[in-house]
């Protein structure tokens, strides 16, 4: 997506220092056995998710549609593997992982595609595997939005609705919280961070 090719460095500068995201990544890293595989959907520049996870001795596969983002990711996190693809189009048999993460990438999809991706994610996870999600806290489906000066469409859920969607797709919600984060140059955002688990 050319939008993100243009915004790669600016996006990282403003959004890579979210303490709530870092805390959830570190929590997932601690829950997984050493060397576990993690699939990062919409991995962006690899910072902070892939970087923190590889530093915690996990094997990371990051997927992103933006070559500009991936170029930075490969430079910054050489220990991870990065795949240029639209993650919603990944095969059901893409692999099995101890965890899947999706920080602010699902919101670029329609709600129908979010649900299709959650169904695939369930299949990619090993039994008792974890799903970590970061979303913007609002209710909408493919609404026009100005993202760092670029027009995009975004979808979102309120906290209770996101929990219900995760449970409807077979996950157990371990924790979910709504927080306020202010990017470096942007207005404050209400965000939701969820940790869910596939049953044994």
């Amino acid at each position: 997506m050319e939008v993100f090719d243009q915004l790669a460095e600016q996006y990282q500068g403003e959004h890579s220092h979210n303490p709530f995201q870092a805390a959830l990544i570190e929590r997932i890293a601690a829950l997984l056995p050493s060397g576990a595989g993690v699939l990062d959907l919409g991995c962006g520049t690899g910072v902070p998710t892939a970087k923190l996870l590889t530093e915690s001795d996990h094997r990371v596969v990051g997927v992103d549609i933006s070559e500009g983002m991936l170029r930075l990711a490969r430079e910054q996190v050489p220990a991870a593997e990065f795949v240029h693809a639209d993650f919603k189009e990944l095969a059901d048999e893409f692999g099995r992982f101890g965890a899947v993460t999706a920080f602010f990438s699902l919101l670029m999809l329609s709600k129908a595609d979010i649900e299709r991706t959650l169904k695939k994610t369930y299949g990619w996870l090993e039994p008792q595997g974890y799903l970590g999600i970061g979303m913007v806290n609002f209710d909408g489906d493919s609404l026009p939005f100005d993202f760092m000066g670029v027009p995009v469409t975004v979808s979102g859920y309120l906290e209770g609705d996101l929990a219900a969607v995760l449970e409807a797709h077979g996950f157990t919600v371990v924790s979910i919280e709504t927080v306020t984060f202010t990017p470096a140059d942007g207005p404050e955002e209400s965000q939701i961070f969820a940790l869910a688990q596939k049953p044994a």
Side-chain angles (χ1 to χ4, degrees):
M1 188 178 285
E2 290 179 8
V3 167
F4 292 102
D5 290 345
Q6 299 163 26
L7 296 177
E9 291 186 30
Q10 184 185 351
Y11 180 83
Q12 176 169 302
E14 294 192 16
H15 291 269
S16 64
H17 307 295
N18 187 324
F20 306 104
Q21 180 174 342
L24 182 51
I25 297 163
E26 287 165 1
R27 184 176 175 192
I28 291 168
L31 287 166
L32 296 174
S34 179
V38 182
L39 175 62
D40 186 21
L41 301 176
C43 62
T45 66
V47 177
T49 309
K51 186 172 190 292
L52 288 173
L53 288 165
T54 56
E55 288 172 352
S56 302
D57 196 29
H58 297 304
R59 182 177 52 82
V60 178
V61 178
V63 179
D64 206 281
I65 200 169
S66 164
E67 281 283 20
M69 292 280 194
L70 291 173
R71 194 161 44 247
L72 277 178
R74 292 185 181 107
E75 289 171 7
Q76 298 182 129
V77 194
E81 176 188 348
F82 293 104
V83 177
H84 180 228
D86 182 343
F87 65 75
K88 74 177 186 291
E89 306 296 340
L90 292 177
D92 293 350
E93 305 77 31
F94 186 71
R96 296 297 288 273
F97 299 88
V100 176
T101 55
F103 289 107
F104 307 105
S105 53
L106 295 177
L107 61 88
M108 297 295 171
L109 307 181
S110 67
K111 284 189 171 179
D113 281 337
I114 290 172
E115 296 209 24
R116 277 191 283 271
T117 301
L118 289 174
K119 183 177 179 182
K120 286 187 179 187
T121 297
Y122 190 90
W124 294 327
L125 281 171
E126 296 166 355
Q128 296 186 288
Y130 291 95
L131 170 62
I133 291 179
M135 290 284 283
V136 177
N137 175 37
F138 78 102
D139 182 35
D141 190 0
S142 299
L143 299 180
F145 183 74
D146 182 278
F147 179 72
M148 297 171 67
V150 178
V152 295
T153 57
V154 295
S155 302
Y157 301 90
L158 303 177
E159 183 180 307
D161 297 332
L162 180 58
V165 167
L166 290 169
E167 288 168 353
H169 286 81
F171 293 97
T172 299
V173 177
V174 178
S175 66
I176 188 165
E177 64 173 347
T178 302
V179 302
T180 300
F181 172 68
T182 305
D185 282 335
E188 71 177 28
E189 283 181 5
S190 181
Q191 300 178 339
I192 303 173
F193 289 91
L195 177 64
Q197 187 174 26
K198 179 176 178 175

